[in-house]
Amino acid sequence: MPLLTILSCKILQDEVVHILENDPSVDEILVVANGQENDFTSKLQKAGLRYKLVSPDRLSEDTESYKNDLNSYSVMVYMVELALHEFPKILKTEVYKLLEGLSKYSSGILLFYGLCGNVFDKIETDFEHLGTSCPVRILRDDARIIDDCVGATLGGCSEYLSTLKKFSDQGTFLFTPMFAHAWREIMRVDPEKPEKTIKMLRKVNEITGYKRVAKIRTGLSHTDNFDEKVAEFAEIFDFEVLEIEGCQNIFENCYTSIKKEIVGC
């Protein structure tokens, strides 16, 4: 049985936990200890999921027995540094480099990413040379690759567009639980001088017309204090708070699809 690798943005770690805790056929969970895994492994523990840490420098040795074990199905998770989102071209370079390396140890790779500024629009085509030995797949709906993590959480491209149109009268931030948890990191708030960055962000919001933040109810509870984090953000920027419903369909469907592709059932 194969070794499936999930290469994921840290923003989507809750969705990875959800996939793993709802698939009883997974015999072993491997987590790459690259310095980005601590929050994720803590959530695995809270979900009662056992896992094994593997070194990024010893993947060949640490994964050999799993890929060659005909009697088990294993999943390896690699969390990618969140800060790379700030630089799309660097993000693409790093992810492509990781795919080339991880493909040597994997039976298939599923990226928990969307287009992310259109840098991943040809990623499946660019890795077609791996053939059936290690198919590379990315989050998509029935029509195309989803735009980003928010689009995936909302259920796909049409749902995302519909939501954006609904809020087109005023700028609205769309927060998933992990986005709310990491908004300071994502918006590069200087921990040494937070007020300076926040003052600049207030000015940007004023210029661009952002006045609301919408909580996306994902149905998951792996990230704590979602409501409190959104309330804090709204208070800082004097935003109205709204709520919208999300779902796990994209993640579940894409996982099921590649699992069927490499396992055969």
Side-chain angles (χ1 to χ4, degrees):
M1 297 288 276
L3 172 64
L4 171 66
T5 293
I6 297 178
L7 184 64
S8 178
C9 170
K10 287 175 68 176
I11 286 293
L12 294 175
Q13 59 184 262
D14 290 3
E15 285 71 17
V16 179
V17 176
H18 170 74
I19 288 294
L20 294 174
E21 68 180 346
N22 284 281
D23 186 357
S25 72
V26 178
D27 295 296
E28 188 90 46
I29 299 170
L30 309 179
V31 180
V32 179
N34 63 336
Q36 305 297 320
E37 76 283 357
N38 289 342
D39 284 347
F40 177 65
T41 54
S42 175
K43 291 172 182 179
L44 289 178
Q45 292 171 11
K46 289 180 180 178
L49 296 172
R50 299 169 66 88
Y51 63 90
K52 177 182 177 181
L53 290 175
V54 294
S55 168
D57 300 321
R58 288 180 44 86
L59 286 181
S60 178
E61 299 91 333
D62 290 348
T63 61
E64 184 177 5
S65 62
Y66 294 95
K67 187 173 182 180
N68 295 326
D69 186 348
L70 300 179
N71 299 309
S72 68
Y73 166 61
S74 302
V75 177
M76 180 167 66
V77 180
Y78 193 115
M79 287 289 160
V80 180
E81 183 182 358
L82 185 58
L84 291 178
H85 275 81
E86 183 78 8
F87 312 100
K89 290 183 179 179
I90 297 177
L91 173 64
K92 178 178 180 179
T93 298
E94 290 301 313
V95 167
Y96 271 53
K97 187 188 303 181
L98 286 170
L99 287 174
E100 289 289 359
L102 292 168
S103 66
K104 300 173 185 176
Y105 321 117
S106 309
S107 306
I109 301 175
L110 175 58
L111 285 90
F112 266 43
Y113 276 96
L115 290 172
C116 296
N118 226 35
V119 297
F120 295 139
D121 59 328
K122 295 181 175 62
I123 197 162
E124 292 183 348
T125 303
D126 289 342
F127 285 89
E128 278 183 344
H129 63 277
L130 297 176
T132 57
S133 65
C134 183
V136 173
R137 302 291 179 254
I138 192 169
L139 296 175
R140 57 170 63 243
D141 58 19
D142 294 334
R144 63 184 182 88
I145 298 173
I146 55 93
D147 294 280
D148 53 32
C149 58
V150 171
T153 306
L154 290 174
C157 301
S158 61
E159 290 83 358
Y160 196 9
L161 180 60
S162 175
T163 300
L164 293 177
K165 286 182 177 178
K166 178 181 177 181
F167 295 138
S168 61
D169 60 320
Q170 288 184 340
T172 305
F173 286 97
L174 304 176
F175 273 20
T176 62
M178 268 303 298
F179 205 103
H181 173 75
W183 74 264
R184 290 176 181 270
E185 182 180 356
I186 294 168
M187 298 181 186
R188 300 182 69 81
V189 175
D190 186 347
E192 300 294 327
K193 300 177 181 178
E195 271 306 317
K196 181 179 179 180
T197 312
I198 287 172
K199 182 178 180 180
M200 180 193 69
L201 289 172
R202 286 197 186 103
K203 190 65 177 178
V204 171
N205 291 337
E206 182 181 338
I207 293 171
T208 55
Y210 274 78
K211 297 183 178 180
R212 300 180 298 208
V213 55
K215 294 184 285 191
I216 303 176
R217 295 295 185 187
T218 64
L220 307 181
S221 57
H222 302 298
T223 297
D224 297 330
N225 304 317
F226 181 30
D227 293 331
E228 291 83 355
K229 292 290 184 181
V230 173
E232 175 197 36
F233 181 83
E235 182 178 0
I236 289 172
F237 296 104
D238 193 24
F239 280 179
E240 177 187 2
V241 178
L242 307 175
E243 288 192 18
I244 52 179
E245 292 298 318
C247 65
Q248 297 300 308
N249 295 349
I250 293 292
F251 308 101
E252 294 169 351
N253 293 343
C254 291
Y255 172 76
T256 299
S257 178
I258 192 169
K259 182 183 175 184
K260 184 177 182 181
E261 189 173 356
I262 65 174
V263 176
C265 61

